[in-house]
């Protein structure tokens, strides 16, 4: 998937409350092989995302989403150099919201011929 999804999930607090053990991390194919998918929070920040089970990952991203197992420190080490300092575990994604349709405002009839915006 080439576009970012919005997340509406709280960051773990404090960082030691992240589940221990290996997490299920969504990945995508890249020129150098698999890379962790990064997402944006509702405020626009970058975050790494992980799940505590493959079922939770599939429920959020679909059954065809590839994943790898990584520890929390390993995922943070991969994500921080590219600006994702947060880690969101088991997020629930919001559906993409279509852009608002422009409303046509009533206008008086034009007195001269003008170009029409499309």
């Amino acid at each position: 998937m080439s576009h970012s999804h919005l997340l509406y999930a709280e960051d773990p607090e404090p960082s030691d409350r992240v589940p221990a053990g290996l997490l299920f991390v969504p990945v995508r194919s890249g020129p150098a092989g698999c890379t962790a998918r990064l997402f944006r929070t509702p405020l626009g920040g970058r975050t790494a995302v992980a799940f505590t089970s493959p079922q939770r990952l599939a429920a959020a991203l679909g059954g065809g989403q590839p994943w790898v197992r990584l520890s929390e420190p390993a995922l943070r080490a991969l994500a921080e150099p590219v600006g994702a300092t947060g880690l969101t575990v088991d997020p629930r994604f919001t559906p993409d919201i279509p852009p608002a349709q422009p409303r046509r405002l009533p206008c008086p009839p034009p007195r001269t011929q003008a170009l029409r915006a499309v």
Side-chain angles (χ1 to χ4, degrees):
M1 201 169 263
S2 62
H3 64 280
S4 298
H5 289 318
L6 294 176
L7 298 175
Y8 287 98
E10 294 181 28
D11 281 339
E13 56 174 62
S15 61
D16 62 336
R17 294 197 47 187
V18 173
L22 296 177
L23 297 167
F24 298 85
V25 179
V27 296
R28 61 180 174 81
S29 296
C34 288
T35 59
R37 286 184 63 190
L38 300 178
F39 294 85
R40 296 225 178 250
T41 67
L43 298 177
R46 295 179 89 187
T47 185
V49 171
F51 296 87
T52 55
S53 73
Q55 293 81 12
R56 288 183 182 212
L57 185 144
L61 299 175
Q65 172 62 56
W67 52 267
V68 296
R69 298 213 50 199
L70 292 173
S71 67
E72 177 263 336
L75 180 54
R76 284 188 188 276
L78 288 172
E80 285 177 0
V82 293
T85 57
L87 172 59
T88 306
V89 177
D90 289 332
R92 284 175 270 154
F93 291 94
T94 62
D96 288 335
I97 299 170
Q101 296 297 318
R103 293 187 314 160
R104 182 174 217 157
L105 299 175
C107 296
R111 296 181 192 252
T112 60
Q113 194 170 17
L115 296 176
R116 193 174 108 196
V118 280

